[in-house]
Amino acid sequence: MKLHNVIERLDATGADFAGSTFENVTFAGSGFKNVSFAGASFDDVNMAGWRIANADLSGLNLSNANLAGASLRQCRLSGTRIDGVLVEHMIAAYNALAKGNAEEAIAALKM
């Protein structure tokens, strides 16, 4: 599936968006549960207030995305990238900073 120039509040359960492409899309305030966005691509998207739970986001690529207030719960994030940076590295950097270790945080982002 490819969506381009769409503005829609969407609530979906059990949907499969794996491998889909979303460009210049607004899904602000949308909710997703038990869905797959595995290997999907989001470019120039507004996902503010996005609520997603129990989802497969592995290999998802987000570029130039507004994620303000977004909530992700119990999601698979392996290989997920935001503006080219692996989410696993972002989490490792956050955890290092929470422990006061700036050097470890920088190293995590350079992996």
XYZ file of all heavy atoms in Angstrom:
813
model
N 0.848 -1.174 0.000
C 0.000 0.000 0.000
C 0.892 1.234 0.000
O 1.918 1.267 0.649
C -0.876 0.023 1.260
C -1.635 1.315 1.398
S -2.413 1.628 3.018
C -3.225 0.141 3.387
N 0.481 2.255 -0.731
C 1.189 3.528 -0.729
C 0.163 4.635 -0.535
O -0.809 4.730 -1.282
C 1.946 3.736 -2.026
C 2.738 5.033 -2.018
C 3.638 5.163 -3.226
C 4.423 6.449 -3.109
N 5.442 6.572 -4.126
N 0.373 5.439 0.512
C -0.482 6.599 0.754
C 0.347 7.855 0.603
O 1.466 7.934 1.111
C -1.081 6.551 2.167
C -2.133 5.500 2.432
C -2.580 5.561 3.887
C -3.330 5.685 1.524
N -0.195 8.833 -0.081
C 0.504 10.095 -0.320
C -0.499 11.232 -0.165
O -1.618 11.161 -0.683
C 1.107 10.084 -1.729
C 1.912 11.290 -2.056
N 3.175 11.482 -1.536
C 1.640 12.351 -2.822
C 3.634 12.642 -1.995
N 2.718 13.180 -2.777
N -0.108 12.288 0.568
C -0.949 13.473 0.774
C -2.314 13.136 1.374
O -3.354 13.520 0.848
C -1.150 14.246 -0.538
C 0.121 14.883 -1.023
O 0.989 15.248 -0.233
N 0.244 15.033 -2.318
N -2.304 12.405 2.485
C -3.543 12.011 3.144
C -3.599 12.642 4.529
O -2.613 12.667 5.249
C -3.622 10.473 3.277
C -4.842 10.061 4.089
C -3.651 9.826 1.906
N -4.766 13.165 4.886
C -5.011 13.667 6.238
C -6.199 12.887 6.766
O -7.316 13.043 6.278
C -5.307 15.181 6.241
C -4.119 15.954 5.695
C -5.656 15.643 7.655
C -4.385 17.446 5.536
N -5.927 12.033 7.758
C -6.977 11.145 8.237
C -6.685 10.717 9.670
O -5.566 10.358 10.002
C -7.038 9.896 7.353
C -8.169 8.960 7.650
C -9.522 9.495 7.233
O -9.599 10.180 6.206
O -10.493 9.239 7.941
N -7.676 10.770 10.522
C -7.563 10.167 11.844
C -8.065 8.749 11.665
O -9.170 8.511 11.198
C -8.409 10.900 12.885
C -8.214 10.327 14.268
C -9.078 11.051 15.298
N -8.940 10.432 16.587
C -9.527 9.297 16.956
N -10.305 8.646 16.120
N -9.348 8.812 18.163
N -7.229 7.805 12.018
C -7.519 6.406 11.741
C -7.383 5.587 13.011
O -6.443 5.777 13.778
C -6.530 5.893 10.685
C -6.629 4.464 10.217
C -7.939 4.233 9.485
C -5.465 4.167 9.278
N -8.311 4.701 13.260
C -8.213 3.729 14.342
C -8.307 2.355 13.698
O -9.300 2.046 13.029
C -9.334 3.928 15.373
C -9.131 5.185 16.199
O -8.045 5.313 16.798
O -10.034 6.022 16.230
N -7.246 1.564 13.886
C -7.206 0.254 13.238
C -6.768 -0.821 14.223
O -5.883 -0.598 15.044
C -6.245 0.291 12.057
N -7.402 -1.976 14.131
C -7.048 -3.134 14.943
C -6.837 -4.321 14.016
O -7.665 -4.584 13.140
C -8.161 -3.459 15.962
O -8.352 -2.330 16.814
C -7.810 -4.665 16.803
N -5.704 -5.005 14.206
C -5.445 -6.222 13.446
C -5.095 -6.003 11.985
O -5.136 -6.944 11.205
N -4.727 -4.801 11.607
C -4.419 -4.505 10.199
C -2.958 -4.826 9.873
O -2.091 -4.787 10.731
C -4.714 -3.047 9.897
N -2.695 -5.123 8.615
C -1.339 -5.412 8.155
C -0.905 -4.343 7.154
O -1.368 -4.324 6.017
C -1.285 -6.791 7.513
C 0.122 -7.212 7.136
O 1.076 -6.428 7.343
O 0.280 -8.336 6.631
N -0.019 -3.444 7.629
C 0.529 -2.382 6.781
C 1.997 -2.673 6.450
O 2.726 -1.784 6.036
C 0.437 -1.029 7.490
C -0.965 -0.598 7.837
C -1.446 -0.714 9.133
C -1.796 -0.081 6.877
C -2.732 -0.316 9.466
C -3.089 0.325 7.183
C -3.554 0.205 8.484
N 2.435 -3.919 6.651
C 3.836 -4.295 6.436
C 4.281 -3.909 5.031
O 3.576 -4.154 4.053
C 4.019 -5.787 6.660
N 5.454 -3.277 4.969
C 6.038 -2.898 3.687
C 5.382 -1.714 3.004
O 5.765 -1.339 1.902
N 4.406 -1.102 3.630
C 3.694 0.031 3.018
C 4.540 1.303 3.049
O 5.478 1.429 3.832
C 2.385 0.302 3.762
O 1.506 -0.790 3.629
N 4.192 2.245 2.193
C 4.863 3.536 2.122
C 3.853 4.637 2.397
O 2.777 4.662 1.794
C 5.478 3.754 0.717
O 6.406 2.699 0.454
C 6.187 5.088 0.632
N 4.218 5.534 3.314
C 3.364 6.659 3.687
C 4.176 7.936 3.501
O 5.206 8.113 4.141
C 2.915 6.538 5.149
C 2.182 5.264 5.452
C 2.872 4.118 5.822
C 0.801 5.211 5.356
C 2.201 2.941 6.103
C 0.115 4.035 5.635
C 0.818 2.902 6.006
N 3.730 8.824 2.619
C 4.444 10.074 2.343
C 3.508 11.258 2.505
O 2.386 11.244 1.995
C 4.996 10.066 0.914
C 6.034 9.008 0.654
C 6.454 8.952 -0.804
O 5.739 9.507 -1.673
O 7.481 8.334 -1.074
N 3.970 12.263 3.243
C 3.199 13.479 3.449
C 1.790 13.153 3.948
O 0.788 13.573 3.386
C 3.152 14.314 2.171
C 2.679 15.726 2.442
O 2.821 16.232 3.549
N 2.103 16.364 1.443
N 1.755 12.346 5.026
C 0.501 11.856 5.587
C 0.336 12.406 6.999
O 1.293 12.510 7.746
C 0.497 10.316 5.608
C -0.711 9.773 6.322
C 0.562 9.764 4.184
N -0.892 12.740 7.362
C -1.213 13.143 8.730
C -2.116 12.089 9.346
O -3.241 11.888 8.895
C -1.912 14.523 8.754
O -0.991 15.498 8.266
C -2.337 14.891 10.154
N -1.578 11.421 10.356
C -2.331 10.450 11.148
C -2.430 10.931 12.587
O -2.501 10.136 13.518
C -1.648 9.080 11.142
C -1.868 8.256 9.912
C -0.907 7.354 9.499
C -3.023 8.356 9.168
C -1.093 6.556 8.381
C -3.229 7.575 8.042
C -2.256 6.678 7.643
N -2.423 12.239 12.812
C -2.456 12.796 14.169
C -3.660 12.267 14.932
O -4.768 12.227 14.405
C -2.484 14.318 14.115
N -3.400 11.823 16.170
C -4.469 11.328 17.015
C -4.970 9.941 16.665
O -5.930 9.465 17.257
N -4.323 9.269 15.740
C -4.762 7.935 15.326
C -4.364 6.879 16.348
O -3.436 7.067 17.126
C -4.150 7.578 13.969
O -4.667 8.407 12.954
N -5.072 5.758 16.329
C -4.777 4.654 17.224
C -4.678 3.343 16.462
O -5.448 3.091 15.542
N -3.699 2.537 16.853
C -3.473 1.248 16.203
C -3.228 0.190 17.268
O -2.505 0.433 18.229
C -2.261 1.314 15.273
C -2.393 2.322 14.178
C -1.918 3.609 14.338
C -3.002 1.981 12.979
C -2.046 4.544 13.328
C -3.133 2.915 11.961
C -2.653 4.197 12.142
N -3.813 -0.983 17.112
C -3.628 -2.072 18.064
C -3.509 -3.387 17.303
O -4.274 -3.631 16.361
C -4.811 -2.134 19.030
C -4.643 -3.138 20.132
C -5.789 -3.037 21.128
C -5.578 -4.038 22.245
N -6.681 -3.996 23.198
N -2.527 -4.190 17.698
C -2.297 -5.487 17.063
C -2.140 -5.354 15.546
O -2.772 -6.066 14.773
C -3.433 -6.471 17.379
C -3.582 -6.719 18.863
O -2.594 -6.790 19.581
N -4.803 -6.815 19.325
N -1.297 -4.412 15.137
C -1.064 -4.173 13.711
C 0.398 -4.443 13.366
O 1.242 -4.556 14.245
C -1.430 -2.726 13.296
C -2.900 -2.449 13.520
C -0.577 -1.721 14.026
N 0.673 -4.529 12.087
C 2.051 -4.665 11.616
C 2.383 -3.517 10.665
O 1.669 -3.275 9.693
C 2.254 -5.990 10.883
O 3.576 -6.045 10.352
N 3.454 -2.812 11.005
C 4.068 -1.831 10.121
C 5.490 -2.296 9.792
O 6.349 -1.492 9.463
C 4.124 -0.449 10.781
C 2.809 0.281 10.837
C 2.090 0.378 12.010
C 2.300 0.895 9.702
C 0.900 1.069 12.070
C 1.100 1.585 9.746
C 0.397 1.669 10.927
N 5.757 -3.597 9.912
C 7.093 -4.140 9.681
C 7.590 -3.751 8.291
O 6.898 -3.954 7.296
C 7.079 -5.657 9.835
N 8.785 -3.160 8.254
C 9.385 -2.780 6.983
C 8.700 -1.631 6.270
O 9.041 -1.313 5.141
N 7.758 -0.975 6.923
C 7.061 0.160 6.299
C 7.952 1.401 6.334
O 8.944 1.460 7.059
C 5.739 0.441 7.017
N 7.573 2.390 5.556
C 8.326 3.636 5.459
C 7.379 4.820 5.620
O 6.349 4.885 4.947
C 9.014 3.701 4.093
O 9.666 4.928 3.923
N 7.729 5.721 6.535
C 6.975 6.957 6.758
C 7.890 8.126 6.466
O 8.960 8.242 7.068
C 6.501 7.054 8.214
C 5.375 6.136 8.571
C 5.609 4.825 8.919
C 4.072 6.604 8.579
C 4.571 3.982 9.271
C 3.014 5.768 8.929
C 3.271 4.454 9.274
N 7.509 9.008 5.566
C 8.323 10.177 5.221
C 7.445 11.421 5.227
O 6.380 11.434 4.601
C 8.960 9.976 3.845
C 9.974 11.047 3.511
O 10.612 11.597 4.425
O 10.128 11.344 2.306
N 7.885 12.446 5.964
C 7.118 13.698 6.095
C 5.719 13.411 6.619
O 4.713 13.687 5.964
C 7.038 14.459 4.761
C 8.377 15.008 4.329
O 9.112 15.511 5.200
O 8.689 14.932 3.132
N 5.653 12.840 7.818
C 4.367 12.456 8.393
C 4.134 13.143 9.735
O 5.060 13.454 10.459
C 4.260 10.925 8.580
C 4.228 10.223 7.251
C 5.372 10.403 9.455
N 2.858 13.377 10.034
C 2.455 13.921 11.327
C 1.781 12.798 12.088
O 0.685 12.367 11.746
C 1.502 15.103 11.148
C 1.079 15.698 12.468
O 1.398 15.196 13.536
N 0.355 16.795 12.401
N 2.469 12.327 13.136
C 1.954 11.241 13.968
C 1.753 11.729 15.402
O 1.799 10.945 16.340
C 2.919 10.065 13.916
C 3.130 9.552 12.506
S 4.645 8.630 12.342
C 4.018 6.992 12.319
N 1.545 13.026 15.555
C 1.357 13.602 16.891
C 0.164 12.944 17.574
O -0.888 12.764 16.970
C 1.139 15.110 16.790
N 0.365 12.551 18.825
C -0.717 11.918 19.561
C -1.021 10.494 19.140
O -2.005 9.902 19.573
N -0.188 9.925 18.316
C -0.345 8.562 17.816
C -0.351 7.607 18.995
O 0.468 7.699 19.895
C 0.861 8.268 16.927
C 0.661 7.397 15.746
C -0.339 7.443 14.846
C 1.551 6.365 15.315
N -0.129 6.514 13.861
C 1.022 5.842 14.129
C 2.741 5.847 15.792
C 1.638 4.818 13.420
C 3.350 4.839 15.086
C 2.798 4.329 13.913
N -1.259 6.646 19.013
C -1.310 5.619 20.047
C -1.206 4.267 19.349
O -2.031 3.943 18.499
C -2.619 5.684 20.837
C -2.844 6.995 21.547
C -4.285 7.139 22.068
N -5.349 6.526 21.279
C -5.887 7.026 20.156
N -5.436 8.161 19.650
N -6.869 6.410 19.520
N -0.177 3.510 19.726
C 0.005 2.203 19.098
C 0.393 1.183 20.167
O 1.213 1.477 21.030
C 1.027 2.270 17.940
C 1.058 0.967 17.176
C 2.383 2.709 18.407
C 1.694 1.068 15.810
N -0.243 0.024 20.129
C 0.004 -1.004 21.137
C 0.073 -2.384 20.487
O -0.635 -2.656 19.517
C -1.100 -0.992 22.188
N 0.939 -3.216 21.059
C 1.066 -4.605 20.600
C 1.272 -4.677 19.089
O 0.565 -5.398 18.392
C -0.165 -5.432 20.999
C -0.413 -5.396 22.483
O 0.512 -5.504 23.271
N -1.659 -5.212 22.861
N 2.232 -3.913 18.609
C 2.435 -3.819 17.161
C 3.835 -4.275 16.757
O 4.778 -4.181 17.534
C 2.219 -2.386 16.703
N 3.944 -4.735 15.533
C 5.237 -5.082 14.957
C 5.722 -3.889 14.139
O 5.184 -3.597 13.075
C 5.114 -6.321 14.073
C 6.457 -6.781 13.526
O 7.492 -6.130 13.813
O 6.472 -7.802 12.812
N 6.719 -3.190 14.682
C 7.307 -2.043 13.997
C 8.725 -2.367 13.542
O 9.484 -1.461 13.190
C 7.336 -0.825 14.938
C 6.003 -0.422 15.571
C 6.194 0.789 16.484
C 4.961 -0.133 14.519
N 9.084 -3.647 13.532
C 10.445 -4.030 13.167
C 10.763 -3.596 11.738
O 9.966 -3.783 10.828
C 10.634 -5.539 13.332
O 9.685 -6.256 12.577
N 11.928 -2.974 11.600
C 12.356 -2.511 10.286
C 11.639 -1.276 9.774
O 11.841 -0.851 8.640
N 10.809 -0.669 10.604
C 10.088 0.557 10.225
C 11.080 1.704 10.062
O 12.010 1.846 10.852
C 9.078 0.910 11.315
C 8.315 2.233 11.173
C 7.357 2.176 10.001
C 7.554 2.521 12.456
N 10.908 2.510 9.030
C 11.741 3.693 8.817
C 10.882 4.946 8.888
O 9.922 5.087 8.125
C 12.427 3.634 7.446
C 13.578 2.668 7.443
O 14.523 2.832 8.206
N 13.494 1.655 6.608
N 11.237 5.840 9.825
C 10.551 7.124 9.983
C 11.518 8.231 9.601
O 12.641 8.276 10.105
C 10.113 7.331 11.434
C 9.088 6.361 11.985
C 9.024 6.436 13.487
C 7.734 6.678 11.384
N 11.088 9.107 8.737
C 11.924 10.227 8.322
C 11.096 11.504 8.352
O 9.996 11.548 7.794
C 12.443 9.978 6.903
O 13.214 11.058 6.453
N 11.625 12.512 9.041
C 10.936 13.793 9.155
C 9.513 13.599 9.690
O 8.536 14.030 9.090
C 10.925 14.520 7.812
C 10.579 15.984 7.978
O 10.859 16.579 9.006
N 9.941 16.568 6.975
N 9.431 12.920 10.840
C 8.133 12.605 11.435
C 7.897 13.424 12.698
O 8.797 13.585 13.514
C 8.063 11.121 11.777
N 6.681 13.937 12.858
C 6.268 14.596 14.091
C 5.683 13.520 14.995
O 4.605 13.000 14.736
C 5.233 15.679 13.800
C 4.701 16.334 15.056
O 5.087 15.991 16.174
N 3.808 17.286 14.887
N 6.409 13.199 16.070
C 5.982 12.164 17.005
C 5.591 12.753 18.361
O 5.499 12.021 19.355
C 7.110 11.145 17.198
C 7.522 10.370 15.943
C 8.808 9.599 16.186
C 6.412 9.444 15.510
N 5.328 14.053 18.414
C 4.993 14.714 19.679
C 3.799 14.037 20.338
O 2.748 13.872 19.728
C 4.688 16.190 19.439
N 3.978 13.613 21.584
C 2.890 12.999 22.326
C 2.526 11.596 21.885
O 1.532 11.039 22.343
N 3.325 10.992 21.007
C 3.034 9.632 20.546
C 3.289 8.632 21.674
O 4.167 8.833 22.507
C 3.898 9.281 19.344
N 2.515 7.566 21.697
C 2.640 6.534 22.725
C 2.767 5.172 22.056
O 1.884 4.764 21.308
C 1.395 6.553 23.622
O 1.394 5.446 24.493
N 3.890 4.503 22.323
C 4.128 3.163 21.799
C 4.243 2.227 22.992
O 5.080 2.434 23.868
C 5.426 3.110 20.997
C 5.422 3.741 19.619
C 5.439 5.242 19.697
C 6.595 3.242 18.833
N 3.392 1.207 23.035
C 3.416 0.242 24.138
C 3.504 -1.169 23.600
O 2.778 -1.522 22.672
C 2.158 0.363 25.000
C 2.045 1.674 25.751
C 0.760 1.723 26.519
N -0.292 1.276 25.592
C -1.493 0.893 25.946
N -1.851 0.875 27.182
N -2.378 0.516 25.054
N 4.407 -1.930 24.186
C 4.592 -3.335 23.839
C 4.713 -3.537 22.328
O 3.998 -4.350 21.734
C 3.468 -4.188 24.424
C 3.440 -4.134 25.940
C 2.327 -4.967 26.527
O 1.309 -5.199 25.897
N 2.522 -5.401 27.753
N 5.625 -2.783 21.724
C 5.859 -2.876 20.285
C 7.225 -3.500 20.016
O 8.180 -3.271 20.749
C 5.815 -1.486 19.656
S 4.202 -0.702 19.732
N 7.319 -4.275 18.951
C 8.602 -4.793 18.489
C 9.270 -3.683 17.684
O 8.713 -3.213 16.699
C 8.399 -6.044 17.645
C 8.043 -7.263 18.491
C 7.796 -8.503 17.659
N 6.607 -8.447 16.809
C 5.353 -8.489 17.259
N 5.112 -8.552 18.537
N 4.338 -8.460 16.427
N 10.481 -3.297 18.114
C 11.168 -2.168 17.505
C 12.498 -2.551 16.855
O 13.237 -1.677 16.422
C 11.413 -1.081 18.554
C 10.159 -0.453 19.150
C 10.513 0.391 20.367
C 9.450 0.391 18.103
N 12.804 -3.825 16.771
C 14.074 -4.259 16.217
C 14.249 -3.728 14.790
O 13.412 -3.950 13.924
C 14.123 -5.789 16.205
O 15.316 -6.232 15.630
N 15.329 -3.006 14.576
C 15.624 -2.463 13.246
C 14.863 -1.208 12.893
O 15.012 -0.676 11.790
N 14.048 -0.689 13.813
C 13.301 0.547 13.559
C 14.243 1.737 13.591
O 15.085 1.849 14.480
C 12.187 0.730 14.607
O 11.277 -0.371 14.483
C 11.437 2.030 14.412
N 14.105 2.633 12.624
C 14.963 3.817 12.536
C 14.118 5.089 12.510
O 13.084 5.134 11.857
C 15.821 3.778 11.275
C 16.841 2.673 11.276
C 17.667 2.665 9.979
N 18.654 1.614 10.003
C 19.878 1.757 10.479
N 20.274 2.921 10.926
N 20.715 0.726 10.479
N 14.615 6.090 13.221
C 14.026 7.432 13.166
C 15.111 8.360 12.646
O 16.177 8.485 13.261
C 13.526 7.893 14.553
C 12.430 6.944 15.058
C 13.012 9.330 14.473
C 11.966 7.244 16.473
N 14.859 8.960 11.517
C 15.839 9.804 10.834
C 17.205 9.128 10.739
O 18.257 9.728 10.954
C 15.949 11.173 11.518
C 14.702 12.017 11.315
O 14.036 11.852 10.268
O 14.374 12.823 12.200
N 17.179 7.840 10.409
C 18.399 7.072 10.173
C 19.052 6.480 11.412
O 20.002 5.720 11.307
N 18.570 6.788 12.606
C 19.174 6.286 13.840
C 18.320 5.142 14.378
O 17.097 5.272 14.506
C 19.287 7.406 14.899
C 19.913 6.870 16.175
C 20.086 8.582 14.356
N 18.965 4.030 14.688
C 18.247 2.885 15.249
C 17.643 3.234 16.611
O 18.312 3.821 17.463
C 19.181 1.687 15.417
C 19.498 0.902 14.149
C 20.652 -0.067 14.397
C 18.268 0.152 13.657
N 16.404 2.866 16.810
C 15.724 3.139 18.078
C 16.450 2.440 19.230
O 16.557 2.992 20.322
C 14.238 2.725 18.007
C 13.578 2.762 19.372
C 13.501 3.642 17.038
N 16.985 1.237 18.985
C 17.737 0.543 20.034
C 18.900 1.402 20.531
O 19.197 1.429 21.722
C 18.290 -0.803 19.537
C 17.226 -1.832 19.241
C 16.975 -1.975 17.753
O 17.101 -0.981 16.998
O 16.625 -3.075 17.326
N 19.556 2.108 19.614
C 20.672 2.979 19.996
C 20.174 4.195 20.771
O 20.828 4.652 21.717
C 21.453 3.422 18.759
C 22.144 2.285 18.080
N 22.812 2.438 16.886
C 22.288 0.968 18.404
C 23.327 1.279 16.501
N 23.011 0.374 17.414
N 19.021 4.724 20.382
C 18.448 5.850 21.119
C 18.123 5.459 22.556
O 18.374 6.213 23.493
C 17.174 6.354 20.431
C 17.394 7.017 19.114
S 15.792 7.536 18.434
C 16.262 7.974 16.784
N 17.560 4.266 22.725
C 17.203 3.790 24.064
C 18.464 3.571 24.894
O 18.517 3.943 26.070
C 16.342 2.513 23.975
C 14.979 2.862 23.367
C 16.174 1.861 25.349
C 14.137 1.649 22.996
N 19.497 2.988 24.290
C 20.759 2.781 25.002
C 21.369 4.118 25.418
O 21.886 4.258 26.535
C 21.737 1.999 24.127
N 21.304 5.113 24.535
C 21.832 6.440 24.858
C 21.035 7.079 25.992
O 21.609 7.675 26.917
C 21.807 7.336 23.622
N 19.732 6.957 25.953
C 18.880 7.496 27.014
C 19.218 6.848 28.352
O 19.363 7.529 29.374
C 17.408 7.266 26.672
C 16.478 7.653 27.794
C 16.096 8.977 27.973
C 16.016 6.702 28.694
C 15.257 9.344 29.013
C 15.178 7.062 29.734
C 14.803 8.386 29.893
O 13.978 8.747 30.922
N 19.348 5.524 28.358
C 19.669 4.814 29.599
C 21.030 5.235 30.142
O 21.202 5.384 31.354
C 19.606 3.307 29.395
C 18.183 2.816 29.208
O 17.234 3.432 29.663
N 18.031 1.695 28.519
N 22.001 5.434 29.248
C 23.329 5.876 29.681
C 23.256 7.278 30.282
O 23.870 7.557 31.319
C 24.301 5.847 28.504
N 22.498 8.173 29.647
C 22.353 9.536 30.183
C 21.635 9.520 31.532
O 21.965 10.303 32.425
C 21.603 10.425 29.193
C 22.399 10.890 27.991
C 21.493 11.648 27.015
C 23.573 11.761 28.408
N 20.662 8.631 31.678
C 19.933 8.529 32.944
C 20.877 8.130 34.081
O 20.639 8.481 35.234
C 18.791 7.526 32.820
N 21.954 7.412 33.735
C 22.963 7.015 34.725
C 24.070 8.065 34.850
O 25.012 7.868 35.596
C 23.593 5.682 34.329
C 22.664 4.514 34.362
C 23.445 3.255 34.015
C 22.671 2.396 33.069
N 23.450 1.295 32.523
N 23.950 9.156 34.064
C 24.952 10.216 34.116
C 26.195 9.926 33.304
O 27.235 10.549 33.504
N 26.121 9.009 32.361
C 27.280 8.627 31.575
C 27.154 9.159 30.139
O 26.703 8.454 29.236
C 27.434 7.100 31.582
C 28.751 6.652 31.030
O 29.374 7.342 30.240
N 29.183 5.463 31.433
N 27.591 10.390 29.937
C 27.485 11.036 28.630
C 28.343 10.353 27.574
O 27.928 10.233 26.416
C 27.842 12.511 28.738
N 29.512 9.886 27.956
C 30.405 9.228 26.989
C 29.775 7.949 26.442
O 29.851 7.668 25.248
C 31.760 8.928 27.620
C 32.577 10.174 27.879
C 33.910 9.864 28.546
O 34.299 8.685 28.623
O 34.560 10.813 29.000
N 29.155 7.180 27.324
C 28.484 5.950 26.902
C 27.292 6.286 25.993
O 27.029 5.573 25.022
C 28.008 5.167 28.122
C 27.411 3.823 27.799
C 26.946 3.080 29.034
O 27.596 3.171 30.082
O 25.906 2.389 28.938
N 26.595 7.368 26.285
C 25.457 7.785 25.459
C 25.912 8.144 24.054
O 25.286 7.738 23.065
C 24.744 8.969 26.110
N 26.988 8.883 23.958
C 27.525 9.266 22.642
C 27.958 8.027 21.868
O 27.687 7.887 20.684
C 28.686 10.275 22.799
C 28.124 11.613 23.316
C 29.417 10.475 21.486
C 29.167 12.585 23.773
N 28.621 7.096 22.567
C 29.061 5.862 21.916
C 27.874 5.052 21.408
O 27.933 4.468 20.319
C 29.897 5.025 22.897
N 26.783 5.034 22.167
C 25.591 4.277 21.754
C 25.015 4.830 20.459
O 24.552 4.075 19.605
C 24.537 4.316 22.850
N 25.050 6.134 20.289
C 24.493 6.739 19.080
C 25.402 6.590 17.871
O 24.969 6.741 16.731
C 24.170 8.210 19.329
C 23.011 8.452 20.290
C 22.855 9.938 20.572
C 21.716 7.875 19.751
N 26.688 6.288 18.111
C 27.630 6.125 17.011
C 27.731 4.683 16.536
O 28.462 4.384 15.614
C 29.016 6.627 17.433
C 29.092 8.111 17.581
C 30.482 8.562 17.911
C 30.570 10.058 17.996
N 31.933 10.505 18.308
N 27.003 3.766 17.185
C 27.056 2.344 16.809
C 26.630 2.143 15.379
O 25.782 2.738 14.854
C 26.163 1.517 17.732
C 26.657 1.415 19.111
S 25.474 0.382 20.020
C 26.232 0.335 21.589
